[in-house]
Amino acid sequence: MENEYDIIIVGCGPAGMTAAIYAKRAGMKCLILEKLSPGGQIMITPMVENYTGFSKIDGFSLGQKMFEQVKAFGIDVEFCEVHNIELDGKLKKVKTGAKTYVAPVVVLAMGAASRTLGTQEDKKFVGKGLSYCTVCDGAFFKDKKVAIVGGGNTALEDIAYIYNIAKEVVHINRRSEFRADDKNIQEYQKLLKQKNSKIIPKYGYVVEKLCGEKKLESIDIKNLKDGTTENIKLDGLFVAIGRVPQTEILDKELDLDENGYIIVDEHMKTSIDGVYACGDITHKSLRQIATAVGDGSIAGTYASLYVKKIKAEK
C-alpha cells in the first residue's frame, strides 16, 4: 500500500524528529506529518543557551539543523494538517484532508500549544494586536506600548526580547512571584531596576476584557485582591501563560493526567499497544529541548522494537 508505513510520527519538533531518526536507523519505513514548520516551539525561541553542544544558538537555526539531519536520512516528511488519528486495531489510521496513512505504530509528538486568556474577545483580536509569539510579531510594535501576560520563563524572555523594541512594556502577572529560572528572573530584575525602566509592573492582576473595534486598543485588567478593574490603552498584547497538550485529534482517549498530558511508561509507551508519545505532549516534570530529544530517542527505539516483534510473529 502506497501510504503504509512501519511508523508514523505526528509532529516535527525535536521529539518527533529524533524519534524518526532513531526509527530510520533501526531500518523502519517512517513518515513525519507536520501541519506547520519543522522545529515546533523552538522556531520561535529567541536564544537557546542550555542545549548541550551549542553555547548559544537561536531557536530557528537549531530547528533547521535538526531538520537537515532528518532530510539527510531520507525520512519522508509531509506538511499537512492531521484531522483524526484512529488508534484501534493492528493498523493505526492517520487522516489528513487528502490522504489516510496507516501503520502498526504511531508516535504522538504534537507538543503543546499556547494557553489562551479565555476572554470572549480572544479570537477576534488574534493577529490584530493579540499575539502568542513575541519573536514572530514583536517587530510590528516598534516604539509602541505593549503588554505581556505571564510569570514563567517564556514571559520573562519575551519581556527581555521586546524591551529594546517597544516604547513601554506593561507586565501583567496574577502573582507577585515568578515561576522562572533564576537567570531569567535576574535579567528581568535588571531591566526593572534600570533608570527610566520601560517596564510597568502590574502584579496581582488578570486580563478580564480586550477592547477595540477593528484592532486591539485597550484591555481591562482586574485586581485580584479588591476586585477593581483598570483600563490600559496599548497597541499590542502578548500572552505567555502556559501551554495546553494537543490531544484533541485523537479518536480514542488515552490515559491522561489531570492536565490532559499523555501518560507514558519508561519506554514512552501509552495505554494503547502500538501507540507511543514523546516530548511536551507527555506527562513529565521538565519540558525542555533536551528532554524532548531524550524522549524521542526512547520512543523511536522502542517503537521500532515493537514493529520488529510484530513482523517476527507473522
Side-chain angles (χ1 to χ4, degrees), residues 13 34 89 146 206 223 256 260 276:
E34 168 60 48
V146 302
V206 294
N223 187 308
L256 308 175
Y276 296 77

Side-chain angles (χ1 to χ4, degrees), residues 89-128:
K90 293 183 178 179
L91 282 180
K92 321 301 180 187
K93 296 179 180 179
V94 182
K95 299 181 178 181
T96 68
K99 297 179 180 179
T100 296
Y101 298 94
V102 298
V105 172
V106 169
V107 177
L108 306 173
M110 296 92 76
S114 298
R115 188 182 300 278
T116 64
L117 288 168
T119 72
Q120 294 181 352
E121 305 83 21
D122 281 5
K123 292 183 179 179
K124 176 182 177 181
F125 291 112
V126 171
K128 300 175 182 177

Side-chain angles (χ1 to χ4, degrees), residues 11 51 104 117 126 130 136 141 145 147 195 237-238 245 269 282 292 311:
Y51 186 62
L117 288 168
V126 171
L130 172 62
C136 306
F141 297 93
K145 183 175 181 178
K195 185 179 180 180
L237 175 65
F238 295 92
K269 181 183 176 298
T282 64
K311 289 182 177 179

Side-chain angles (χ1 to χ4, degrees), residues 27-55:
M28 297 294 107
K29 179 185 179 185
C30 56
L31 168 70
I32 300 177
L33 296 174
E34 168 60 48
K35 69 176 180 179
L36 296 173
S37 57
Q41 291 302 310
I42 62 172
M43 301 300 281
I44 59 174
T45 303
M47 193 60 61
V48 177
E49 298 179 308
N50 60 353
Y51 186 62
T52 308
F54 297 91
S55 57

Side-chain angles (χ1 to χ4, degrees), residues 144-160:
K144 295 184 178 182
K145 183 175 181 178
V146 302
I148 290 179
V149 186
N153 284 313
T154 300
L156 299 193
E157 288 169 1
D158 285 351
I159 290 172

Side-chain angles (χ1 to χ4, degrees), residues 6-260:
D6 293 323
I7 299 173
I8 297 173
I9 298 105
V10 186
C12 196
M17 286 192 279
T18 304
I21 289 170
Y22 272 72
K24 186 70 173 182
R25 283 172 54 85
M28 297 294 107
K29 179 185 179 185
C30 56
L31 168 70
I32 300 177
L33 296 174
E34 168 60 48
K35 69 176 180 179
L36 296 173
S37 57
Q41 291 302 310
I42 62 172
M43 301 300 281
I44 59 174
T45 303
M47 193 60 61
V48 177
E49 298 179 308
N50 60 353
Y51 186 62
T52 308
F54 297 91
S55 57
K56 183 179 290 188
I57 185 172
D58 65 275
F60 181 85
S61 297
L62 182 56
Q64 285 298 302
K65 287 181 179 294
M66 291 181 175
F67 188 59
E68 287 169 6
Q69 187 174 0
V70 166
K71 296 303 291 180
F73 271 97
I75 297 166
D76 290 349
V77 182
E78 293 287 344
F79 291 98
C80 54
E81 185 170 0
V82 173
H83 298 295
N84 182 252
I85 304 175
E86 296 180 4
L87 301 177
D88 285 331
K90 293 183 178 179
L91 282 180
K92 321 301 180 187
K93 296 179 180 179
V94 182
K95 299 181 178 181
T96 68
K99 297 179 180 179
T100 296
Y101 298 94
V102 298
V105 172
V106 169
V107 177
L108 306 173
M110 296 92 76
S114 298
R115 188 182 300 278
T116 64
L117 288 168
T119 72
Q120 294 181 352
E121 305 83 21
D122 281 5
K123 292 183 179 179
K124 176 182 177 181
F125 291 112
V126 171
K128 300 175 182 177
L130 172 62
S131 173
Y132 296 90
C133 178
T134 309
V135 177
C136 306
D137 301 325
F140 295 118
F141 297 93
K142 183 174 176 59
D143 298 326
K144 295 184 178 182
K145 183 175 181 178
V146 302
I148 290 179
V149 186
N153 284 313
T154 300
L156 299 193
E157 288 169 1
D158 285 351
I159 290 172
Y161 176 80
I162 207 166
Y163 188 84
N164 293 319
I165 298 174
K167 178 176 66 176
E168 289 181 309
V169 183
V170 181
H171 182 201
I172 303 164
N173 188 29
R174 63 168 49 245
R175 303 177 183 83
S176 58
E177 70 276 3
F178 307 115
R179 296 181 175 181
D181 296 338
D182 288 345
K183 182 178 180 181
N184 283 329
I185 293 174
Q186 290 168 8
E187 292 299 322
Y188 169 81
Q189 290 174 339
K190 285 180 183 178
L191 295 176
L192 191 62
K193 293 176 181 178
Q194 281 186 4
K195 185 179 180 180
N196 300 321
S197 175
K198 295 181 182 181
I199 299 174
I200 303 171
K202 289 289 182 179
Y203 307 146
Y205 286 84
V206 294
V207 177
E208 192 168 62
K209 185 178 180 181
L210 311 184
C211 310
E213 292 299 325
K214 294 183 178 180
K215 64 182 183 66
L216 183 67
E217 297 172 0
S218 67
I219 58 174
D220 287 346
I221 61 172
K222 179 181 178 180
N223 187 308
L224 294 175
K225 285 187 177 180
D226 58 26
T228 59
T229 60
E230 176 183 347
N231 182 264
I232 300 177
K233 295 188 181 300
L234 45 74
D235 301 292
L237 175 65
F238 295 92
V239 179
I241 54 174
R243 312 194 64 74
V244 180
Q246 299 296 281
T247 55
E248 69 280 356
I249 60 174
L250 303 178
D251 79 318
K252 183 176 180 180
E253 187 173 329
L254 298 166
D255 286 350
L256 308 175
D257 70 9
E258 65 276 11
N259 295 312

